[in-house]
Amino acid sequence: MSDEESGLVKIALVSCGSEYAGVQPEFEAAAAKVNAKFIYPEIDVSSVDTIGRDFGLEVASGDLRLMMARAKAVVEGITNADGVFITTCFRCAEGAIVRNEVRRYIHEHSNIPVISYSFTESTSAGTLLTRLEALTTIVRRRHLLTREVQTGLTAGIDSGSTTTKAVVMRDNKIIGMGWVPTTKVLESAEEAYSIALKEAGVSREEIQALGTTGYGRFLIGTHFKAQLVQEEITVNSKGAVYLADKQKGNATVIDIGGMDNKAISVQDGIPGMFTMGGICAGASGRFFEMISKRLGVDITELGALAVKGMHEHVSMNSYCIVFGTQSLVNSLARGATPEDVAAAACYSVVEQIYEQQLQEVDVKEPLILVGGSSLIAGVPKALGELLKIDVLVPENSHLIGAVGAALLASGFVEE
Amino acid sequence: MAKVFIYPINSLILADLVERFGHKPLTMMSQIREKVTSLSLDSPPLNITPEDPKLGLKYAAIEVPAGVRGRMSLIGPLIEQTEAAIIVENPPTDFGCVGCNRTNELTKYLVRSKGVPVLEVKYPESDDEARDFVNKIATFLESLPKEKSEEDDKAKNEKQSEKEGKK
């Protein structure tokens, strides 16, 4: 059977020598799980000596020059790849420069989906899985991702790390929604789904197709016999442009989740470049939960508090939830107001997303902010201030994954 | 016979030159060969596991990128055996592709600090320079002891036994 017949996705591995970092088995394992395989683009060895001048970026490392030559081979079609995985060592400055420029080069000169990642020797297949799943989905299910209208009666469940969301949609409208904290994955999903079904006034049997996404997608997907079990990068970007009514043209989606953040560059509803944070809880919904708890307010009140405060009054440029807590305690001890602390927390999260993730994604307007944290009013305010652009928070922005899943699942109704 | 470390660490030409003068070249190929022929491992393509960057900690600190430490787990043991070294600066890729420059910087530093005879030559750009290049390497290799005398070996062994005895 050919690769095409078996649905095998060929991902060009453009790396500076991940083979030497001991992470190769993890890469292979993650690829195997999404029915993909890595290929190494063939190049003419002499091109490694001249690629620096050809590419315009002259670096000392031979393997980084090899990366550029391999990227060129992919763009020029010498190597036939469905997707590209660009990866260099975490902590290497020269590698980071090349990784970023190679990603930009492939993005500008081809339509091949690309992801980039900086690895450590502790990189696990699990960390890479969502990213590779998204990459292969963009390759395999482009037709599904072009869906702009929800049809029939479908449902979506987003089993997130902090909250579980469910929606029921009929004829392009949300008719029922449920939102509960995630405790036990299956029970929370059952509860959220039941609430959504009740509000919609329909029974489970009437649902024509169901889509699941989020951390618990596989477990609940099997439990509910879902037609679509999909990672959150493609689902959320689809849900975001749908809710914001920006399905045509360029858009940038920022999703601040409970455990990780995604910055996704979207074109006509299809994700192009994306980055996924998640190493540090200092830039996620989890940080807001901790801040609210320490300030003694409910998380729903944190946004209103932050809008009244001035982030400049508190120094919270933290890259870690532990140091963030330290800054918070020190600030309060020095007499900072809860409003200023809340504002600083929002600014600190947004600043991290800006510094760590938006450098890898071309920010094109409209900028759509989604995920539970988008409901904290201080967050879009801080993001708008930092980027000097208007931030769009669509209605029901926290239900993004569930809505995206219900929308994409409706493709199965027609099929 | 001297164990000669070469840079670029995978240069076939340098390895061949060293062998022709009766010495043993210390090369990356021998290290990789050991890895890829290890039957008990399965970490394609080089059989380097997450344990190797940990072994590399002996030569580079934890803040150093994983790829550098993984490479050092192969190169470091060679530097430990080094009795002489030839370093060629500015080599083109086909003379011996040297991958990560951070590893190269550390490798050359460790070799230079070892206190063994080191020949540093620039990669030739003309025929005359090429002749000069080969001559310099030949003279250097000829200056290294061909055979270790039995007395030397005996003295070394005695010293080793003394050390072990003290332990």
Side-chain angles (χ1 to χ4, degrees):
Chain A
M1 203 191 292
S2 70
D3 289 352
E4 206 169 311
E5 283 164 344
S6 64
L8 189 76
V9 173
K10 287 186 285 182
I11 302 174
L13 184 63
V14 174
S15 90
C16 63
S18 44
E19 301 92 332
Y20 288 98
V23 290
Q24 210 64 25
E26 300 296 320
F27 283 12
E28 303 285 343
K33 278 189 183 161
V34 294
N35 194 23
K37 74 168 179 186
F38 287 114
I39 55 166
Y40 298 82
E42 298 248 339
I43 54 118
D44 176 0
V45 71
S46 61
S47 69
V48 176
D49 288 331
T50 54
I51 191 72
R53 282 193 299 281
D54 293 348
F55 201 85
L57 179 62
E58 297 200 47
V59 293
S61 293
D63 277 338
L64 289 173
R65 294 202 295 268
L66 180 65
M67 266 181 83
M68 290 189 265
R70 281 184 166 157
K72 198 161 174 250
V74 171
V75 163
E76 289 176 351
I78 298 165
T79 292
N80 184 15
D82 302 315
V84 183
F85 182 43
I86 302 170
T87 186
T88 64
C89 272
F90 180 63
R91 299 191 189 105
C92 176
E94 195 177 39
I97 293 168
V98 174
R99 189 178 69 235
N100 210 31
E101 294 315 314
V102 162
R103 179 194 53 73
R104 199 192 304 273
Y105 168 77
I106 296 174
H107 187 55
E108 281 172 6
H109 294 90
S110 75
N111 289 321
I112 304 169
V114 185
I115 48 168
S116 63
Y117 188 75
S118 55
F119 58 81
T120 68
E121 70 276 26
S122 310
T123 296
S124 69
T127 317
L128 295 171
L129 188 61
T130 305
R131 292 168 172 88
L132 289 180
E133 202 184 337
L135 188 72
T136 51
T137 300
I138 297 164
V139 174
R140 282 198 196 103
R141 290 185 165 167
R142 225 176 166 86
H143 68 286
L144 195 65
L145 297 176
T146 55
R147 281 200 79 74
E148 292 180 7
V149 179
Q150 184 274 341
T151 53
L153 179 66
T154 64
I157 308 175
D158 178 3
S159 174
S161 63
T162 313
T163 54
T164 302
K165 287 79 68 179
V167 297
V168 175
M169 293 181 78
R170 178 186 272 146
D171 301 332
N172 212 29
K173 282 197 181 79
I174 300 171
I175 56 168
M177 54 181 92
W179 185 25
V180 300
T182 304
T183 47
K184 288 178 182 167
V185 172
L186 278 180
E187 285 172 21
S188 302
E190 278 283 356
E191 194 186 343
Y193 192 28
S194 300
I195 296 169
L197 286 166
K198 197 175 170 194
E199 193 181 305
V202 296
S203 67
R204 284 187 192 198
E205 292 69 34
E206 288 174 82
I207 298 292
Q208 292 171 285
L210 172 73
T212 63
T213 189
Y215 276 89
R217 63 187 177 279
F218 294 113
L219 187 65
I220 62 168
T222 311
H223 177 75
F224 291 106
K225 297 188 178 61
Q227 281 76 12
L228 177 90
V229 178
Q230 197 68 63
E231 43 53 55
E232 51 271 34
I233 290 165
T234 49
V235 171
N236 289 10
S237 53
K238 194 67 211 173
V241 292
Y242 170 80
L243 284 180
D245 197 18
K246 300 285 180 193
Q247 304 218 41
K248 287 288 174 212
N250 292 312
T252 308
V253 175
I254 295 180
D255 177 10
I256 306 178
M259 209 155 86
D260 55 40
N261 309 313
K262 293 122 200 150
I264 313 159
S265 165
V266 184
Q267 190 169 27
D268 294 337
I270 297 174
M273 280 304 305
F274 61 86
T275 64
M276 195 172 163
I279 291 175
C280 166
S284 68
R286 193 81 67 210
F287 187 58
F288 291 128
E289 277 179 14
M290 192 276 298
I291 295 281
S292 321
K293 204 174 160 191
R294 182 61 184 81
L295 292 177
V297 296
D298 189 81
I299 191 151
T300 54
E301 299 164 35
L302 187 71
L305 204 64
V307 170
K308 288 184 216 152
M310 298 281 285
H311 74 82
E312 295 89 347
H313 291 174
V314 174
S315 165
M316 203 184 281
N317 187 13
S318 166
Y319 277 78
C320 164
I321 201 163
V322 177
F323 294 139
T325 313
Q326 238 172 35
S327 306
L328 170 104
V329 171
N330 289 338
S331 306
L332 290 173
R334 279 199 300 266
T337 65
E339 287 83 357
D340 288 347
V341 169
C346 293
Y347 198 82
S348 137
V349 167
V350 164
E351 202 171 34
Q352 275 204 56
I353 293 169
Y354 172 68
E355 288 174 8
Q356 292 183 357
Q357 294 184 275
L358 292 181
Q359 307 299 322
E360 295 195 20
V361 168
D362 290 329
V363 178
K364 288 181 180 158
E365 288 189 78
L367 180 72
I368 309 167
L369 182 65
V370 292
S373 303
S374 65
L375 300 179
I376 299 170
V379 177
K381 180 174 176 272
L383 190 61
E385 276 173 20
L386 198 69
L387 296 175
K388 314 281 182 235
I389 56 174
D390 288 335
V391 176
L392 185 59
V393 181
E395 197 181 346
N396 295 320
S397 61
H398 59 300
L399 299 174
I400 207 78
V403 169
L407 170 67
L408 295 177
S410 71
F412 290 87
V413 175
E414 286 163 22
E415 278 176 17
Chain B
M1 184 198 71
K3 289 177 181 170
V4 183
F5 185 89
I6 57 170
Y7 178 90
I9 186 77
N10 57 2
S11 170
L12 291 168
I13 299 171
L14 278 182
D16 182 54
L17 266 173
V18 170
E19 270 178 357
R20 278 170 194 242
F21 283 85
H23 302 295
K24 187 191 174 193
L26 299 171
T27 67
M28 190 74 155
M29 291 79 88
S30 60
Q31 302 295 87
I32 296 286
R33 186 180 183 279
E34 211 168 283
K35 284 279 176 192
V36 295
T37 51
S38 301
L39 294 174
S40 57
L41 293 172
D42 186 16
S43 176
L46 301 182
N47 269 349
I48 286 175
T49 68
E51 286 306 303
D52 290 278
K54 288 181 199 160
L55 297 174
L57 277 172
K58 191 171 173 189
Y59 312 100
I62 191 73
E63 308 90 66
V64 174
V68 177
R69 282 182 282 121
R71 286 172 171 96
M72 285 313 294
S73 69
L74 301 173
I75 301 170
L78 293 178
I79 298 174
E80 283 178 21
Q81 299 172 47
T82 297
E83 290 167 342
I86 301 167
I87 295 174
V88 177
E89 286 297 354
N90 303 322
T93 305
D94 51 9
F95 184 71
C97 176
V98 176
C100 168
N101 207 50
R102 306 287 87 89
T103 311
N104 301 343
E105 286 159 5
L106 182 62
T107 298
K108 285 188 272 186
Y109 169 72
L110 291 176
V111 167
R112 285 170 185 145
S113 352
K114 207 173 149 68
V116 294
V118 179
L119 173 73
E120 304 214 21
V121 276
K122 207 173 120 274
Y123 186 80
E125 286 175 9
S126 65
D127 285 353
D128 285 346
E129 280 182 18
R131 270 184 221 106
D132 189 38
F133 175 81
V134 176
N135 284 338
K136 272 184 186 163
I137 293 174
T139 312
F140 177 73
L141 290 170
E142 272 168 351
S143 74
L144 301 175
K146 281 256 190 297
E147 297 278 341
K148 263 186 208 155
S149 66
E150 278 180 19
E151 276 172 24
D152 277 357
D153 276 349
K154 208 176 164 187
K156 202 177 172 185
N157 288 340
E158 275 170 12
K159 218 174 183 182
Q160 189 67 26
S161 329
E162 236 172 68
K163 259 188 193 171
E164 280 164 10
K166 272 180 193 168
K167 277 179 196 170

